[in-house]
Amino acid sequence: MTETTSPHAETSPSTMGASFAFLKTHLREYGILFALIAIMLFFQVATGGILLKPVNLTNLILQNSYIVIMAIGMLMVIVCGHIDLSVGSVLGFVGALAAVMIVNWGVPWLLAGVICLGVGAVIGAAQGFWIAYFRIPSFIVTLAGMLVFKGLTLWLLEGQSVGPFPAQFRLISSGFVPDLLGGAEMNLFSLLIGIAVASLILGLAIRTRRQEQTRGINDEPFAFFAVKNALIFAALVYMSWLMADFRGLPNVFIVMALLIAVYSFVTSRTTFGRRIYAIGGNEKAASLSGINSQRLTFLTFANMGMLAALAGLVFAARLNTATPKAGIAFELDVIAAVFIGGASMSGGVGTVVGAVIGAFIMGVMNNGMSILGIGIDWQQVIKGLVLLAAVIFDVMNKKKG
Amino acid sequence: MPILEMRGITKEFPGVKALDNVNLSVEEGEIHALVGENGAGKSTLMKVLSGVYPHGSYEGDILFDGAVKAFHSIRDSERDGIIIIHQELALVPLLSVGENIFLGNERARGGVIDWHETNHRAKDLLERVGLHERPETIVDDLGLGKQQLVEIAKALSKNVRLLILDEPTSSLNETDSQKLLDLLLEFKAKGITSILISHKLNEISRVADTITVLRDGSTVSRLDCEGGISEDDIIRDMVGRSLEDRYPPRAPRIGETVMEVRNWTVHHPLHPERKVVDNVSFHVRKGEVLGIAGLMGAGRTELAMSLFGRSYGRDISGEALIGGQPADLSTVRRAVNAGLAYATEDRKTFGLVLDQTIRRNIPLAKLEAVARNGVVDSHREAEVAETYRDRLNIKSSSIEQEVVNLSGGNQQKVVLSKWLFADPDILILDEPTRGIDVGAKFEIYTVIRDLAASGKAIIVISSEMPELLGITDRLYVMNEGRFVGEMPTAEASQERIMSTIIKTGQAA
Ligand SMILES: Nc1ncnc2c1ncn2[C@@H]1O[C@H](COP(=O)(O)OP(=O)(O)OP(=O)(O)O)[C@@H](O)[C@H]1O
Ligand SMILES: [Mg+2]
């Protein structure tokens, strides 16, 4: 057998040169993260420091939470080789359903929330059923779904806005983690959570690196590893400090963080996740390997429906009212986020973290451009171009490799 | 003066030096064979030549007709008359033969296709390659052998001076292969130069004038075939040592019947009135290597796939027993659970998740075995992948290499690894050595033998009769959907198999 050494394995692992060489070969993985940082720095300067003001940062997260939540589900749908155009309408429909149940019928908000999640899952499952078992193209099924649920939202709300919601329900979106430690100046408890999470991520990274090194499959230079993780650690702590300085970590932030953690794990480490990537990569080969691609596709759509419903609750709670306009064109932002995050149109490629970063790139641009007073017209143009640029970058990079 | 000279070609991929200072010199009007083990760099060299890897992405010089060339794309090389037919066919399945022949080179006036001219010229070209089909026929309806001829007709339409064929016969049956080689000889008589890549050394010694042998990305030797050359000579240069036997010695210990299939009938998925498999009955025993011989298109793959979770066909009827009990083979999962496995002949479409790594592909059919409570243990997974990479000698930079970047033969080994890891009782191997070099073939035969020795039942479908004769214990002969003969391998010969086929049918 011929052992071929990889070019970066030969170079001394601690030099700058090695770090750059490594970066060059892995540009695709880190490019998107750098893009986010660059965009944030740009707007931080351009807005004269407003972007990272505690109140704005908190707002940014609240504004983007529902996109992030849906992007996670969409990532799995796209990895599986499909698309879901109905998520915006489903978000609107579920918000309307929640409003009608809670405000008009007086159903307890917790119960209503659970029912809504269930309804979302059923909607996703119904669409997934046709896609998985009857092989109707997802584009068409979910396009139909988009129209259907847009219509049903109007019908349910009778064209009116319904609200307001009870205060407890609103806490989903507008609540903050209470300060159990009673800090006077800032939300100490929130800061502590931030530090704990950052440490956890750091610990996990170190553990993984050790494991991989013992197996000899890690070729990341130490300098690179150290700088990268130090930056991530610092960024997380800094952000939680900023937010703690305002009112603490928003509740949605915790929800989002949990979802990101859980779904990252599911997609990268479980047999379920592995199989989805295999189906998206080559469905025939996956089926002939005994993978039940129909059931997994079905489940992926059911999951997407449920996450869209969760996003619908978050959105309704944030607006404190359900309107017939809610969710319109959200699917475009969600899909754009996933592709900016490095997923491939043909399936089989993409990561949850990438999709989340993609969502934040969109979010930071929206927010930054609004602060700068750029009109909605040019915002759209710029966002479209960024999407195009991100995907071109991805494709060129892949060709080169 | 040579028509083509490649000097000091070096091509690197991240982590792999695929070509290292390779020299190739081809005389005008000859058939030049390029041989070497899987992953030796044959396909890569031809991709460099034809501009798939553009000028600048490799080192070294290409001289064509004595002039230095810098091809930036396939179009550039085609303009000079260098036409490559790739290892994997590149026809559009749902377009007609005529449309495919002139794809990208349409017979058109002012952008409007001239169908009369297209079909007329296509007809001429089809005649030149000896294919008697109408130009309007949809490519998908043709067998692989005929599709290959369409590719060649397409090459002829482009005013070819140097024709490159990358393993053209690897998926053809004996008769079609012969036809194709005759065609090459005919072209030679007309002054067309060709480069032929093949693992079938008997073909090479039959038609080649000169042979260049590559090993691990370097030129090892250039053999002149005038005055005859023996396959053993070629092999010695290819693998760097002489190979005593082509087939490992065996001492079969055959036990009781593990699987029995009765009256198995399968209809065509699109034309339900057509029986693709017609009332087939057979059995296979523990420790036995069973062969299914037949021509391409006899229905062997369809038989195997219909058994394996009904992955092919409709209106399937018949009975399958495993261990004496009726077995539920209605889905792939159930078939796998019942102890059956099927390694496909079409690795790219049905066998591999191309964009994923070796590590991800190998455990795919039995992911549970490397997982605990649904969570994949990446340690175990890597161990498994390493084990099979060593065992089958998969040439790659590491288990983290994406299978799309492996050479054809090494991809085949990944497919085999996947099913070896799934550890079935009955393993159906469909053309297991297609596109695999002689040395690696021997390794795979050894794996098959050892599996049988450990009590597994192995069913080998192959179009290479010497291979079936060399490694099986018993043979069925299949023709036009039916089993038309059964014989112990000890009593079989190529002639006997062929005459069984011919006697029973309208074999082509
Ligand atoms: N795009 C690529 N990226 C990385 N490595 C590659 C790429 N293409 C080919 N290789 C590597 O280059 C080497 C030569 O491959 P090549 O396909 O030329 O072999 P081959 O001689 O045609 O083998 P086979 O007989 O199996 O078809 C192999 O080790 C392969 O893994
Ligand atoms: Mg090849």
Side-chain angles (χ1 to χ4, degrees):
Chain A
M1 187 177 50
T2 29
E3 273 294 336
T4 24
T5 38
S6 58
H8 27 260
E10 303 156 12
T11 39
S12 155
S14 57
T15 61
M16 281 281 276
S19 296
F20 276 116
F22 178 83
L23 190 59
K24 237 172 118 184
T25 47
H26 291 72
L27 201 58
R28 198 148 167 250
E29 290 156 52
Y30 295 114
I32 166 86
L33 187 59
F34 286 129
L36 177 62
I37 294 173
I39 290 173
M40 287 182 78
L41 285 180
F42 171 78
F43 281 113
Q44 175 70 358
V45 174
T47 60
I50 297 179
L51 185 80
L52 288 182
K53 281 238 165 80
V55 53
N56 190 53
L57 189 67
T58 306
N59 242 326
L60 197 115
I61 283 170
L62 293 180
Q63 269 170 10
N64 282 294
S65 51
Y66 42 90
I67 300 288
V68 170
I69 291 171
M70 290 196 290
I72 293 171
M74 188 67 77
L75 180 268
M76 294 168 75
V77 168
I78 286 175
V79 161
C80 201
H82 294 281
I83 193 100
D84 190 339
L85 300 175
S86 71
V87 293
S89 295
V90 173
L91 173 146
F93 176 73
V94 168
L97 186 66
V100 170
M101 280 200 289
I102 297 171
V103 179
N104 294 2
W105 304 343
V107 179
W109 67 273
L110 196 59
L111 178 63
V114 173
I115 293 176
C116 282
L117 291 183
V119 168
V122 170
I123 292 173
Q127 301 190 94
F129 175 74
W130 295 110
I131 295 162
Y133 294 101
F134 288 84
R135 305 201 162 269
I136 317 281
S138 54
F139 190 95
I140 295 170
V141 172
T142 58
L143 183 64
M146 170 174 149
L147 296 171
V148 166
F149 292 105
K150 211 186 271 177
L152 287 181
T153 307
L154 276 173
W155 167 78
L156 200 60
L157 294 176
E158 295 167 337
Q160 312 281 310
S161 293
V162 176
F165 287 102
Q168 277 151 316
F169 180 77
R170 275 180 7 232
L171 281 183
I172 303 177
S173 249
S174 55
F176 293 84
V177 175
D179 193 358
L180 299 177
L181 302 175
E185 290 286 304
M186 59 163 56
N187 190 324
L188 268 184
F189 187 58
S190 287
L191 183 59
L192 232 58
I193 294 181
I195 294 175
V197 169
S199 313
L200 190 70
I201 291 177
L202 188 64
L204 281 177
I206 293 174
R207 208 185 73 154
T208 313
R209 181 178 166 84
R210 284 235 181 90
Q211 282 178 353
E212 290 184 350
Q213 270 177 338
T214 50
R215 291 206 334 257
I217 60 169
N218 189 308
D219 55 1
E220 193 180 20
F222 179 76
F224 185 85
F225 172 82
V227 171
K228 178 181 85 179
N229 283 286
L231 278 177
I232 293 176
F233 183 84
L236 285 173
V237 172
Y238 180 58
M239 300 236 173
S240 40
W241 181 73
L242 284 177
M243 285 191 279
D245 198 30
F246 180 52
R247 293 175 60 187
L249 295 175
N251 287 338
V252 230
F253 181 79
I254 304 287
V255 172
M256 250 163 48
L258 281 176
L259 288 177
I260 294 169
V262 168
Y263 280 95
S264 279
F265 181 79
V266 168
T267 49
S268 66
R269 296 289 307 279
T270 66
T271 54
F272 175 75
R274 283 297 164 83
R275 286 176 176 151
I276 289 182
Y277 282 87
I279 293 171
N282 183 349
E283 204 208 328
K284 287 178 190 155
S287 298
L288 276 177
S289 300
I291 292 173
N292 191 338
S293 65
Q294 298 182 326
R295 197 177 65 204
L296 295 188
T297 306
F298 172 78
L299 288 176
T300 305
F301 274 93
N303 175 65
M304 176 77 257
M306 191 186 71
L307 288 176
L310 177 60
L313 296 176
V314 169
F315 187 72
R318 180 171 153 70
L319 284 194
N320 195 15
T321 167
T323 82
K325 282 231 168 80
I328 287 179
F330 282 13
E331 59 276 350
L332 300 181
D333 277 358
V334 174
I335 293 169
V338 173
F339 286 133
I340 289 178
S344 148
M345 189 78 206
S346 53
V349 180
T351 61
V352 166
V353 172
V356 171
I357 294 179
F360 275 112
I361 286 186
M362 299 280 282
V364 170
M365 289 198 315
N366 279 337
N367 182 278
M369 290 191 290
S370 301
I371 298 174
L372 291 180
I374 297 175
I376 193 86
D377 40 5
W378 288 106
Q379 288 196 20
Q380 301 270 3
V381 173
I382 292 170
K383 267 161 44 181
L385 292 177
V386 166
L387 170 63
L388 186 65
V391 176
I392 290 174
F393 172 78
D394 232 31
V395 171
M396 300 301 276
N397 219 322
K398 188 162 187 195
K399 256 198 199 141
K400 233 177 28 196
Chain B
M1 192 187 80
I3 184 172
L4 169 74
E5 250 188 288
M6 298 179 80
R7 288 194 197 142
I9 304 288
T10 297
K11 169 80 189 163
E12 278 185 63
F13 296 109
V16 201
K17 203 169 204 173
L19 297 174
D20 189 0
N21 196 17
V22 169
N23 297 307
L24 175 73
S25 163
V26 179
E27 296 296 325
E28 173 119 45
E30 71 166 348
I31 299 180
H32 192 110
L34 196 55
V35 301
E37 297 183 292
N38 297 127
K42 306 177 295 289
S43 299
T44 307
L45 185 64
M46 291 302 106
K47 286 180 183 166
V48 165
L49 171 58
S50 58
V52 172
Y53 299 131
H55 180 78
S57 71
Y58 58 88
E59 288 154 40
D61 290 321
I62 299 177
L63 277 82
F64 192 66
D65 271 342
V68 177
K69 297 283 177 187
F71 299 130
H72 293 283
S73 70
I74 301 193
R75 280 195 98 89
D76 282 357
S77 62
E78 286 189 347
R79 211 166 294 139
D80 278 325
I82 301 176
I83 313 281
I84 183 167
I85 298 179
H86 287 283
Q87 201 160 354
E88 274 75 29
L89 294 184
L91 297 172
V92 185
L94 293 181
L95 293 184
S96 76
V97 169
E99 284 171 294
N100 265 290
I101 289 179
F102 293 108
L103 195 66
N105 180 22
E106 289 81 3
R107 305 289 94 196
R109 227 169 268 132
V112 180
I113 296 195
D114 181 344
W115 286 111
H116 182 74
E117 160 98 359
T118 300
N119 289 332
H120 190 74
R121 292 237 12 223
K123 218 167 158 188
D124 277 355
L125 292 165
L126 291 177
E127 246 154 54
R128 277 178 72 191
V129 299
L131 180 60
H132 306 290
E133 290 284 344
R134 286 152 39 82
E136 294 88 356
T137 315
I138 301 296
V139 161
D140 213 22
D141 292 339
L142 298 178
L144 275 177
K146 291 182 173 173
Q147 292 191 16
Q148 189 71 258
L149 292 177
V150 173
E151 280 272 16
I152 295 176
K154 184 172 167 184
L156 289 182
S157 79
K158 289 175 189 159
N159 225 340
V160 56
R161 296 198 52 216
L162 174 62
L163 182 64
I164 304 167
L165 298 131
D166 195 350
E167 301 196 32
T169 58
S170 69
S171 44
L172 299 190
N173 64 39
E174 209 80 7
T175 340
D176 285 345
S177 302
Q178 295 304 335
K179 259 197 216 158
L180 192 124
L181 296 176
D182 290 339
L183 199 59
L184 282 191
L185 291 170
E186 218 174 280
F187 287 171
K188 178 178 147 186
K190 285 181 191 150
I192 298 176
T193 316
S194 18
I195 297 178
L196 173 67
I197 299 180
S198 176
H199 289 294
K200 297 184 181 169
L201 301 179
N202 53 340
E203 297 179 348
I204 302 252
S205 48
R206 198 185 129 205
V207 300
D209 299 304
T210 317
I211 302 174
T212 295
V213 183
L214 290 185
R215 195 195 309 149
D216 289 338
S218 316
T219 329
V220 192
S221 61
R222 187 162 188 275
L223 305 169
D224 200 339
C225 300
E226 226 171 312
I229 188 143
S230 78
E231 291 179 31
D232 289 338
D233 290 338
I234 310 176
I235 294 173
R236 195 168 343 96
D237 283 348
M238 264 176 75
V239 296
R241 65 192 149 85
S242 57
L243 212 59
E244 301 301 316
D245 292 296
R246 296 283 185 89
Y247 306 103
R250 331 182 33 233
R253 282 217 324 273
I254 295 173
E256 76 270 25
T257 300
V258 277
M259 179 173 177
E260 191 174 355
V261 172
R262 294 184 191 143
N263 309 104
W264 198 257
T265 299
V266 180
H267 292 257
H268 193 279
L270 300 178
H271 310 286
E273 68 290 346
R274 233 160 76 196
K275 281 183 191 171
V276 183
V277 177
D278 189 359
N279 204 25
V280 163
S281 301
F282 70 91
H283 66 275
V284 58
R285 293 184 288 243
K286 263 195 171 156
E288 184 180 40
V289 181
L290 177 71
I292 304 182
L295 301 179
M296 200 77 48
R300 296 168 302 172
T301 295
E302 290 77 5
L303 167 65
M305 284 182 74
S306 63
L307 282 169
F308 190 55
R310 307 189 173 233
S311 308
Y312 173 89
R314 58 188 289 177
D315 306 334
I316 298 170
S317 60
E319 229 184 325
L321 296 105
I322 290 180
Q325 302 293 318
D328 180 2
L329 306 178
S330 56
T331 67
V332 173
R333 190 78 260 169
R334 285 180 191 153
V336 170
N337 289 341
L340 191 63
Y342 167 71
T344 167
E345 62 173 336
D346 186 346
R347 51 190 172 238
K348 290 221 163 154
T349 322
F350 295 122
L352 296 168
V353 184
L354 286 171
D355 285 338
Q356 292 188 2
T357 56
I358 297 176
R359 167 149 88 114
R360 290 260 186 129
N361 270 281
I362 289 180
L364 203 58
K366 206 182 178 190
L367 210 48
E368 312 81 68
V370 294
R372 218 170 298 133
N373 303 323
V375 179
V376 176
D377 177 347
S378 45
H379 253 289
R380 270 286 291 142
E381 188 186 40
E383 259 171 40
V384 167
E386 289 288 4
T387 309
Y388 284 93
R389 178 169 172 257
D390 280 354
R391 190 164 151 201
L392 295 192
N393 203 354
I394 300 172
K395 203 172 278 179
S396 55
S397 53
S398 77
I399 55 168
E400 304 298 333
Q401 190 170 356
E402 292 176 2
V403 294
V404 69
N405 294 335
L406 294 180
S407 79
N410 285 303
Q411 289 179 341
Q412 182 69 9
K413 293 184 191 173
V414 175
V415 177
L416 279 179
S417 302
K418 178 169 79 177
W419 289 112
L420 292 185
F421 176 64
D423 193 28
D425 298 322
I426 309 139
L427 176 58
I428 308 176
L429 300 172
D430 198 348
E431 306 286 359
T433 62
R434 176 167 147 193
I436 286 192
D437 69 63
V438 265
K441 268 185 186 161
F442 190 87
E443 288 159 18
I444 286 177
Y445 298 148
T446 311
V447 170
I448 291 176
R449 177 196 65 183
D450 295 346
L451 284 175
S454 70
K456 313 267 181 214
I458 318 282
I459 303 176
V460 179
I461 298 174
S462 172
S463 302
E464 279 187 53
M465 282 188 230
E467 167 173 292
L468 285 179
L469 295 173
I471 64 167
T472 64
D473 300 306
R474 192 160 56 93
L475 283 171
Y476 287 100
V477 181
M478 191 171 188
N479 190 31
E480 304 201 324
R482 281 166 309 166
F483 273 16
V484 294
E486 179 189 353
M487 58 193 87
T489 305
E491 297 167 19
S493 65
Q494 288 203 51
E495 293 73 34
R496 189 165 162 206
I497 296 173
M498 277 316 290
S499 73
T500 314
I501 293 175
I502 291 166
K503 250 188 288 175
T504 54
Q506 308 84 326

